[in-house]
């Protein structure tokens, strides 16, 4: 039979009081979240590493900066919507998410998908020259000048810097993303209890990976980022309202429906 220490795990993990949180179960939850992240992450980290030399030329940057406000907004809204679509796919494979009622799935995506995009941005960020992988090359924040929301762009780049400083592994990014999405504190949930139970599982999985990686100190640091994510997302919504007032027709007829559904 199996005795203590055979598989190098913590005894308490196996005999914890919750029936659904046996070590085996928690490891399955971890594995499906990590798999889902990998399958929906668009680019692998090694691929991005290899693409680092691809930066926009002066002329290319100038071309972006010469776009009109509404043209650039429309362009970025498209890129963001692509990214959000992958986050929606990611969410679908988080254990427990699909079992939530449709209202609650939408509520969680409306409030959390942009936050996850920002978490994911840290994977696509090069801290050496402060650039993000956008439209096939690495772009500095000056490229986004014609959006006319420098405060938002500066905060987004600052957040990417501070997340990169934590040097998260792909597993940690995956579990943190799931934790950001499955949040029972979001307003307008119908079955809060179910979300809470799904959240507990993700939390156990998250704590389990951090303990295994010997990085429990990250827990506190990551919870600090949650507040930054939240304020950045309200800033994004605020900017969209401002833009919609100036260019109602662009938003109405040229923005992707999913973007409007989630943020409009
Ligand atoms: C995030 C990680 C995703 C891929 C991806 C796609 C689009 C990128 C996004 C990342 C980061 C943030 C981004 C966005 C396009 C525009 C947006 C660069 C890299 C900037 C911050 C502008 C926001 C504009 C709004 C005001 C519309 O896997």
């Amino acid at each position: 039979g199996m005795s203590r220490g055979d598989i190098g795990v913590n005894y308490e993990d196996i005999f914890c009081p919750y029936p659904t949180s046996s070590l085996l179960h928690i490891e399955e939850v971890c594995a499906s979240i990590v798999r889902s992240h990998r399958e929906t992450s668009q680019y692998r980290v090694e691929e991005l590493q290899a693409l680092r030399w691809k930066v926009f030329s002066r002329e290319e940057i100038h071309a972006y900066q010469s776009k009109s406000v509404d043209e650039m907004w429309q362009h970025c809204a498209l890129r963001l919507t692509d990214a959000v679509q992958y986050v929606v796919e990611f969410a679908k494979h988080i254990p427990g998410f699909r079992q939530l009622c449709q209202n609650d799935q939408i509520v969680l995506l409306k409030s959390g998908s942009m936050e996850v995009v920002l978490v994911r941005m840290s994977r696509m960020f090069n801290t050496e020259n402060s650039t993000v992988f956008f439209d096939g090359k690495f772009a500095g924040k000056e490229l986004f000048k014609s959006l006319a929301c420098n405060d938002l762009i500066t905060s987004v780049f600052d957040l990417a810097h501070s997340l990169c400083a934590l040097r998260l592994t792909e597993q940690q990014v995956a579990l943190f993303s799931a934790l950001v999405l499955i949040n029972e504190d979001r307003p307008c949930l119908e079955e809060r209890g179910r979300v809470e139970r799904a959240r507990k599982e993700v939390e156990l999985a998250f704590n389990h990976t951090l303990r295994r990686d010997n990085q429990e100190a990250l827990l506190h640091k990551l919870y600090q980022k949650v507040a930054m994510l939240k304020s950045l997302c309200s800033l994004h919504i605020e900017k969209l309202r401002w833009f919609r007032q100036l260019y109602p027709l662009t938003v109405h007829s040229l923005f992707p429906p999913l973007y409007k559904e989630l943020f409009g």
Side-chain angles (χ1 to χ4, degrees):
M2 191 162 63
S3 71
R4 181 173 193 171
D6 270 0
I7 46 175
V9 296
N10 193 339
Y11 203 59
E12 280 85 355
D13 277 339
I14 307 175
F15 299 102
C16 49
Y18 315 101
T20 57
S21 53
S22 69
L23 182 61
L24 190 61
H25 178 71
I26 292 307
E27 280 187 337
E28 269 167 19
V29 172
C30 270
S32 35
I33 292 173
V34 170
R35 188 188 325 119
S36 179
H37 170 75
R38 196 188 330 110
E39 286 170 359
T40 62
S41 63
Q42 294 175 266
Y43 292 90
R44 285 178 291 119
V45 249
E46 313 86 78
E47 270 180 281
L48 289 161
Q49 204 70 28
L51 290 170
R52 279 184 169 216
W53 59 273
K54 276 192 158 204
V55 289
F56 285 107
S57 68
R58 279 175 163 284
E59 292 72 29
E60 287 168 324
I61 295 170
H62 185 74
Y64 280 102
Q65 291 179 334
S66 311
K67 284 182 192 275
S68 61
V69 178
D70 62 324
E71 224 184 333
M72 188 61 179
W73 262 82
Q74 198 198 325
H75 185 78
C76 287
L78 278 171
R79 289 289 150 278
L80 263 175
T81 306
D82 284 342
V84 161
Q85 224 135 23
Y86 284 98
V87 173
V88 173
E89 279 310 303
F90 167 68
K92 284 191 193 161
H93 297 98
I94 298 174
F97 184 86
R98 259 206 249 240
Q99 286 72 46
L100 300 172
C101 64
Q102 201 182 6
N103 174 75
D104 291 357
Q105 295 189 9
I106 293 168
V107 165
L108 294 181
L109 287 169
K110 272 192 174 195
S111 51
S113 56
M114 183 66 184
E115 296 187 9
V116 173
V117 166
L118 294 174
V119 170
R120 287 178 159 208
M121 177 179 171
S122 64
R123 305 170 66 250
M124 305 221 172
F125 193 74
N126 181 356
T127 48
E128 280 162 39
N129 55 6
S130 289
T131 54
V132 65
F133 195 68
F134 167 82
D135 261 358
K137 289 185 186 178
F138 280 85
K141 60 182 173 194
E142 72 282 359
L143 184 134
F144 300 96
K145 206 175 89 181
S146 48
L147 288 171
C149 38
N150 288 330
D151 51 344
L152 173 66
I153 302 300
T154 300
S155 309
V156 166
F157 274 64
D158 287 348
L159 175 80
H161 255 292
S162 76
L163 279 171
C164 285
L166 301 179
R167 306 193 141 277
L168 302 177
T169 64
E170 279 292 279
Q171 283 97 325
Q172 291 165 349
V173 172
L175 285 150
F176 182 55
S177 301
L179 208 58
V180 163
L181 270 179
I182 315 292
N183 182 349
E184 77 268 16
D185 296 331
R186 306 292 193 189
C188 305
L189 287 170
E190 274 167 12
E191 302 175 312
R192 208 168 289 281
R194 283 180 144 213
V195 179
E196 206 177 325
R197 280 196 293 282
R199 163 92 180 184
K200 287 249 158 65
E201 298 225 313
V202 177
E203 241 161 10
L204 285 168
F206 186 51
N207 294 344
H208 175 69
T209 21
L210 290 184
R211 204 177 321 137
R212 188 198 52 201
D213 301 342
N214 231 320
Q215 292 219 286
E216 279 122 313
L218 271 181
L219 197 65
H220 176 66
K221 292 180 188 161
L222 282 171
Y223 279 113
Q224 286 177 332
K225 305 294 174 214
V226 173
M228 291 174 78
L229 286 170
K230 225 179 144 186
S231 74
L232 264 179
C233 290
S234 354
L235 190 53
H236 168 230
I237 302 287
E238 202 181 291
K239 295 294 180 191
L240 175 59
R241 289 212 186 99
W242 162 83
F243 178 78
R244 196 198 281 266
Q245 260 173 1
L246 286 178
Y247 301 95
L249 291 176
T250 304
V251 176
H252 179 265
S253 38
L254 299 172
F255 272 32
L258 179 65
Y259 183 87
K260 286 186 281 184
E261 157 93 34
L262 291 178
F263 310 118

